[in-house]
Amino acid sequence: MRRTPFELAAVATAAVPGLTPTAAASAPDDAADFDSALLLDSEGKRWRVRSPRHPEASARLETEFMILRAFAPAIRAELPFLMPTVAGTVRQGALSTFVYAHLAGAKRSIEELSTCSDALAKEIGAALAAVHDLPQSLVNNADLPSYTANEFRQRKLNELDQAATTGKIPPALLRRWEHALEDVALWRFNPCVVHGDLHEDNLLIDGDNVTAVTGWTDLRIGDPADDFAWLVASNEQSFVESVLRHYTEARRDTPDGHLLRRSALLAEFALAQYLVKALAAGHSDMTAEAEAMLKSLADDIEEQNALAAEEADAAAAELAAADALAAPAVVMASEAKASEGDSAKPTVSVTAIPEPVHEDVPKARPETDAATPSVTVEPLEEAASGEAVVERAADSGNGIDSTPEVPSESDDTSTTALQVVEPAPLQDAKDH
């Protein structure tokens, strides 16, 4: 049962002694996890109340409270944005409700952010860089999760196995994600402090400024790509590139070259995580929504792969046509004869071998070998064949050998290029 803003205002008075609310309104939040409200007190100050709907959500708020306390004033002062401050908390049974001091700024949709100015993209990039450059001791001292690159990859493989047991993930997506997770080269990165739950709802914007970052429930040491997944899901390449450019300029460490590829994978995989969460909660509407999004993703990827294959075939045909135009046109004597269309000739006929003109024609055997063919062939009733034999014999008698040198098979250094097709980013599913 949901709590109304006025009920949350009453709870807030117990959490913050002396607080006298005069107005209350609902606040946007993760609907499946929290009831939230904005309050105005008698002194004109604003407050935010978050009340968890189940024990897991309550544990997340308690974790965030512990994390926020780990941010000493000196660390907060170095950040280019504000962080939440807990004004009070009250426990009711197994659930804890928290009251926060109000932070300036407003949330913007991903559509609004993806068309923002370069100044705001710079702010977002700088905010991401500031989080990733936080001292890792902050996480370690708070006894929060810490993963190496390989441990993070293995963790995702375990989550993939869990998602596969639902039987609701399209097989094409399971194969796609498994292949990506088994590509060790893709997962070579320097672990850093990551927000872990960064998306547009956890950014407060005022004009072209990022005023605050909220939602600090999943702080850990891990893959910086985690905090870029929501950006890649915006499907606005120019926006992503602008943020990444400013992020790279602001960071102390150089980002790895596979950052956005892993971000795209994590954005896709978020749908599987959403499905698992919906099934665990027994929420039929969320489950149906997750299944529909997974099917849509699989269809989009299949269509994109088909388009890429068509483009590759077209490019190969164009290259073959260009090679054909560049090659010299040579009319073989046997081909000229075949063009006359003698209906009495068998499907496959053997004629005298003309003088070779291409490098891929092997050298003629010595005369002693040619004189004793391994297969006896009845002579064809064409005069031209006899003439060709005479010409060949005459050339051989004169010591003329026009057969060019043929390179051995060991000289062949050709390789096959593998083309990796990046999937079009998908709008990430938000937790409800």
Side-chain angles (χ1 to χ4, degrees), residues 2-15 19 21 24-27 34-39 49-52 90 92 97-99:
R2 292 193 174 279
R3 293 184 176 184
T4 67
F6 293 103
E7 290 175 327
L8 293 176
V11 174
T13 59
L19 174 61
S26 60
F34 304 102
D35 294 323
S36 298
L38 291 177
L39 308 180
V49 185
R50 301 187 80 192
S51 181
V90 60
Q92 297 174 303
T97 297
F98 286 78
V99 180

Side-chain angles (χ1 to χ4, degrees), residues 80 86 151 161 187 253 258 264 298 394 419 425:
V86 177
E151 288 172 343
D161 291 340
W187 300 91
D253 192 12
H258 298 303
Q419 181 180 8

Side-chain angles (χ1 to χ4, degrees), residues 133-347:
D133 282 336
L134 283 169
Q136 297 189 15
S137 59
L138 176 71
V139 172
N140 294 327
N141 293 340
D143 199 24
L144 295 170
S146 177
Y147 304 100
T148 64
N150 189 57
E151 288 172 343
F152 183 83
R153 183 178 70 90
Q154 187 60 52
R155 183 168 179 256
K156 291 301 175 184
L157 279 169
N158 295 339
E159 292 176 358
L160 179 60
D161 291 340
Q162 181 185 11
T165 60
T166 66
K168 297 180 179 295
I169 309 294
L173 293 182
L174 288 176
R175 291 192 299 268
R176 173 185 177 85
W177 296 337
E178 184 177 11
H179 292 164
L181 287 168
E182 289 177 349
D183 183 2
V184 178
L186 185 63
W187 300 91
R188 290 174 182 156
F189 60 87
N190 293 326
C192 65
V193 177
V194 296
H195 182 279
D197 189 31
L198 196 61
H199 50 78
E200 64 273 19
D201 288 342
N202 285 333
L203 294 178
L204 296 181
I205 310 295
D206 183 14
D208 286 336
N209 299 314
V210 175
T211 58
V213 177
T214 62
W216 297 86
T217 59
D218 295 304
L219 190 73
R220 57 180 177 265
I221 295 175
D223 188 356
D226 259 348
D227 290 343
F228 274 85
W230 69 284
L231 286 167
V232 174
S234 68
N235 201 23
E236 290 293 339
Q237 190 66 24
S238 60
F239 171 55
V240 176
E241 290 177 352
S242 181
V243 172
L244 179 62
R245 183 178 72 257
H246 293 300
Y247 166 82
T248 303
E249 293 173 353
R251 274 220 67 182
R252 298 170 189 166
D253 192 12
T254 302
D256 66 280
H258 298 303
L259 177 64
L260 292 186
R261 290 185 63 194
R262 293 197 310 278
S263 300
L265 172 66
L266 295 173
E268 292 179 8
F269 191 61
L271 297 181
Q273 295 171 310
Y274 181 55
L275 173 65
V276 171
K277 181 177 180 180
L279 290 171
H283 201 300
S284 59
D285 291 340
M286 288 174 58
T287 301
E289 182 183 18
E291 289 186 71
M293 289 189 293
L294 284 166
K295 183 180 183 305
S296 177
L297 173 61
D299 292 342
D300 288 345
I301 290 174
E302 182 179 357
E303 180 180 351
Q304 188 177 38
N305 289 341
L307 180 60
E310 290 178 2
E311 292 176 350
D313 291 342
E318 184 177 352
L319 181 60
D323 290 343
L325 291 175
V330 178
V331 179
M332 304 294 292
S334 58
E335 293 177 357
K337 185 68 180 177
S339 64
E340 295 180 5
D342 188 348
S343 60
K345 295 175 64 176
T347 304

